[in-house]
Amino acid sequence: MEASQDEAKNFLQKLVQSESFAGVLLLLCAVLAMIVANSPLGEQYAQLWKTKFGFSVDGTFIGMSLEHWINDVLMAFFFLVVGLEIKREILFGELAGFKRAALPVIAALGGMIGPGIIYYALNMGTPSEHGFGIPMATDIAFALGVLSALGKRVSVSVKVFLVSLAVADDLGAIIVIALFYTSGIAFEWLAVAAGIVVVLVILNKIGMKSLVPFMILGVFLWIAVHNCGVHATIAAVVLAFTIPVAPKIDTLSFMDKIQIAIEKFKEAEKEKDGMLLQNEQVHSLGELAKHKKDVQNPLVRLEHTLAPYSNYLIMPIFAFANAGVTIGSNIDFGIDHVFLGILCGLVIGKPLGIFGFTFLAEKLGIATRPTGAGWIDILGAGMLGGIGFTMSMFVTNLAFSGEHALVATDVAKISILIASLGAGILGSIFFLIRSKASHH
């Protein structure tokens, strides 16, 4: 019995730690949201997100609906993690240096322009034309999930290309949100936000290593950006770019300090009586913990701390709150060409844009494909790039206005789910066939 329990525990640990789990969990939450929204609990589900949460001060309510708490506050942590990931990739990863960054950035640009043009061409002159940003994004969690499921059928070079493309794509999506999905600017609040950013940059430049001042100022930055008209989650990305990179101590100093702490621990062990640790040993353990923290890169430390909450809590909650669309007489797939624009954008526009811009970049001598990645692999990666969910859903909430906004939003959300599922299936089949053909 104990053996079977241990096996089950080990299986669950491996599942949670796997790259694909975040994507699987996201999909499950989206499916669950659709089931609940179309069940007898549908009305309660819809009302839940409209519920106001906050407090009153002298009769003035300070707070927001649960929907806004999730989409504006919780998602700020998601955007903070995205920002940290982008900064890390630019400084140390696949986007470090022009030569390494050129291909995924150009490919991501093609993967945004292709779907955007298709959507806009189909909806130009209609109230839905502002939704061109919806099919532009690639969902890293879902894409990683599919790549993980495909295993060795996809080469490492293609996986690195797609992941770095998705990171560059996120940066592009953030720029699109900031430029095109911003309401009227309140310049006094914009000035306050700019002042806070200046303070954050100064803290970075003077070598502040503690993350506490950055996080406190980040809260005030969120408030200022929220009030100035730019979407508040952009504040999280700006904050991420000001987080320090250099650790408090270098690795050589760390090893020296660790050695001293261990020696002190050993010395105290000689005087130890019984099971309890000596005060000197407890102090040494505290020193070890402090040195361990001090040698870590603050940016990576914050990313590793927040990433599990973002992947396994915030994104699933966002999916459950936003993917639940009641399918009934209220759904009008004929509204402008929202459905067709998103479907064609993600399934056709993404692979064409990614492949086309990559081909041009190589022919013009700007960048070269990763070693071991053929043109057929780039096309397959482009297909998987059509898996858009989190960012696409997020842009959907900002894209539509006017009388038809509610209907267009519901149609867009269903379209994202159908198109992403279609892109994932087509991309998987493509690589399965590619794998079989290469073994013959």
Side-chain angles (χ1 to χ4, degrees), residues 127 335 400-408:
I335 187 167
F400 303 110
S401 59
E403 293 178 6
H404 86 309
L406 193 62
V407 178

Side-chain angles (χ1 to χ4, degrees), residues 41-95:
L41 295 171
E43 198 172 321
Q44 290 93 316
Y45 169 87
Q47 285 302 315
L48 173 65
W49 313 117
K50 306 298 177 190
T51 309
K52 299 279 185 182
F53 282 89
F55 54 91
S56 292
V57 177
D58 296 328
T60 305
F61 179 76
I62 299 171
M64 296 181 283
S65 65
L66 183 57
E67 181 181 30
H68 280 103
W69 276 108
I70 292 167
N71 294 347
D72 293 354
V73 180
L74 271 188
M75 285 300 283
F77 289 96
F78 163 77
F79 275 84
L80 177 56
V81 173
V82 169
L84 292 168
E85 187 175 43
I86 291 168
K87 183 174 180 178
R88 174 174 50 79
E89 288 294 323
I90 289 171
L91 292 176
F92 311 112
E94 292 304 314
L95 304 180

Side-chain angles (χ1 to χ4, degrees), residues 99-116:
K99 285 191 174 180
R100 295 182 78 180
L103 191 70
V105 168
I106 291 168
L109 189 62
M112 293 178 74
I113 290 172

Side-chain angles (χ1 to χ4, degrees), residues 6 15 38 41 70 79 91 102 109 111 119 130 158 171 188 200 228 233 267 272 289 302 344 355 362 374 395 422:
D6 287 340
L15 179 66
N38 291 280
L41 295 171
I70 292 167
F79 275 84
L91 292 176
L109 189 62
Y119 181 95
H130 205 48
V158 175
L171 179 58
E188 63 277 15
L200 286 165
C228 83
T233 48
E267 283 297 316
K272 186 177 166 188
L302 183 59
C344 293
F355 182 87
E362 182 159 307
V395 174

